[in-house]
Amino acid sequence: MNPIERTLRALDRLQQRHRTAGLVVGVVRKYGDDRGGLLAALVTYYGFVALIPLLLLLSTALGFFLRGHPEAQRAVLDSALADFPIIGDQLRQNVHSLQGSGLALVIGVLGLLYGALGIAQVLQHAMAEIWNVPGVQRPGYWPRLGRSLLLFAVLATGLLLTTAAGALVGSTLAGTPARVGGLIVSALLNAALCLACFRVLTPKEIPAKALWPGCALAGPLFTVLQAFGSLLVTHELRHAGQVYGFFATVIGLLSWIYLAAQITVYAAETDAVLFHRLWPRSILQPPLTAADEKVLASVARKEERRPEEHVDVSFGDPDEPPGPAGADDGRPHRP
């Protein structure tokens, strides 16, 4: 054993003996097992596809209904786009140029429908992957569509409640207390909204109480992303914007959505690891821990696609040759 491997194995043993470190490693390992980066990238793509038509639709609607009232347009933009960096600033700076367009309205509605349904389907797929739901148990198209519509209703309700709560805090407090109070209320509402969305997206077999730890973590993180994400992205791209123009704007918006997608995926992974006690995990193998075997077995069984298909998993000495296909591993088979 070389010095590097000896050091890594010592660190591995150390993290397995400590609950917090083992839990963090377990979440990170589970994220890798589920290809969390790919899931977050899919959420980012459909989120971007849905967001751009949404902004186009919003600007077109403002052009139709608030034409000749730039003050009212600016008030709506400041409220509706407060959480979207880069693009919201561009619309606010050009509020006088918003004009109603029938073609833009049609394109916006079709694009929003495609992107919104896409992100709802991808989020359901991500939750099924994270919770290792076998393919044969996953719902069909129409149940998923119903969940998507329910998700939109939950998000719309959450947006209204967040806007009302922000207005209430702003009207009752002023200065620093208003800003601090607004952040606290936003964190609580974001956590509650995350819990409601996770309940819609997560399989029914998972109890609601198993979803709150990740949401309690995600709520404040979403608030930080909303409050400081625009400043961070603008700071990082202040020079790039002068050179690349709109490309820097798109990159900044994609980065912001990707961070939100990463928070969502990690929150769900945290719930799954805590609920199924999928830690401590090993950094170097062999040997595998009990949590390692449990995760690997569930990942394999996740590939069951037909009711008559059964996947059985066994673990043994890696130096021994594998047994014949379909050999009995000593465990009872499902009927």
Side-chain angles (χ1 to χ4, degrees):
M1 185 182 300
N2 59 60
I4 296 178
E5 183 179 356
R6 186 180 302 111
T7 302
L8 290 177
R9 289 196 176 276
L11 292 175
D12 193 3
R13 292 191 296 270
L14 180 64
Q15 65 88 15
Q16 291 185 37
R17 291 195 298 266
H18 291 80
R19 178 183 175 88
T20 302
L23 178 60
V24 171
V25 172
V27 172
V28 174
R29 288 296 309 276
K30 184 73 164 56
Y31 179 89
D33 292 333
D34 296 330
R35 299 180 178 89
L38 178 59
L39 297 176
L42 286 172
V43 173
T44 301
Y45 167 74
Y46 282 102
F48 182 80
V49 171
L51 181 58
I52 295 301
L54 176 62
L55 297 175
L56 177 63
L57 192 61
L58 176 61
S59 63
T60 302
L62 292 179
F64 273 122
F65 300 110
L66 297 179
R67 179 176 299 176
H69 300 84
E71 296 81 6
Q73 291 179 345
R74 187 177 298 279
V76 175
L77 288 173
D78 289 339
S79 174
L81 298 178
D83 295 340
F84 298 106
I86 308 299
I87 293 294
D89 294 337
Q90 297 290 332
L91 287 177
R92 282 194 291 264
Q93 294 170 7
N94 296 277
V95 64
H96 58 277
S97 64
L98 295 176
Q99 300 293 331
S101 170
L103 179 61
L105 182 63
V106 173
I107 295 175
V109 170
L110 294 178
L112 178 61
L113 183 63
Y114 170 77
L117 290 177
I119 193 173
Q121 296 286 333
V122 167
L123 284 171
Q124 292 182 63
H125 171 74
M127 292 302 172
E129 290 289 307
I130 290 169
W131 289 95
N132 291 329
V133 178
V136 68
Q137 298 178 11
R138 299 187 185 186
Y141 174 77
W142 294 111
R144 293 200 311 270
L145 181 60
R147 283 190 183 184
S148 300
L149 298 178
L150 181 58
L151 177 65
F152 300 152
V154 170
L155 289 174
T157 304
L159 178 60
L160 292 176
L161 291 177
T162 302
T163 303
L168 180 62
V169 172
S171 62
T172 56
L173 300 175
T176 302
R179 291 192 292 270
V180 174
L183 291 176
I184 295 175
V185 171
S186 177
L188 293 175
L189 289 176
N190 281 337
L193 180 60
C194 180
L195 180 60
C197 292
F198 276 23
R199 179 65 283 173
V200 173
L201 297 169
T202 307
K204 299 178 181 179
E205 294 78 13
I206 307 301
K209 65 180 182 180
L211 305 177
W212 75 263
C215 295
L217 176 66
L221 292 178
F222 280 131
T223 300
V224 171
L225 185 62
Q226 292 168 359
F228 304 106
S230 179
L231 295 176
L232 175 64
V233 173
T234 303
H235 177 268
E236 293 297 327
L237 297 176
R238 67 184 187 276
H239 299 303
Q242 299 175 1
V243 178
Y244 298 107
F246 184 72
F247 291 102
T249 299
V250 173
I251 292 173
L253 185 59
L254 281 172
S255 301
W256 187 82
I257 299 175
Y258 185 68
L259 288 175
Q262 289 273 35
I263 292 174
T264 302
V265 174
Y266 267 112
E269 296 285 10
T270 301
D271 289 336
V273 170
L274 286 172
F275 182 70
H276 291 298
R277 295 193 60 83
L278 301 178
W279 86 94
R281 301 285 302 276
S282 59
I283 299 176
L284 298 178
Q285 301 90 27
L288 295 172
T289 67
D292 287 325
E293 294 184 356
K294 191 173 183 180
V295 171
L296 293 174
S298 62
V299 169
R301 297 190 183 101
K302 182 175 61 179
E303 299 304 320
E304 293 179 346
R305 306 291 179 176
R306 295 285 305 167
E308 60 270 21
E309 178 187 5
H310 305 296
V311 175
D312 295 302
V313 182
S314 62
F315 297 91
D317 190 339
D319 295 328
E320 294 180 357
D328 188 1
D329 58 4
R331 295 182 302 168
H333 291 256
R334 292 175 298 176

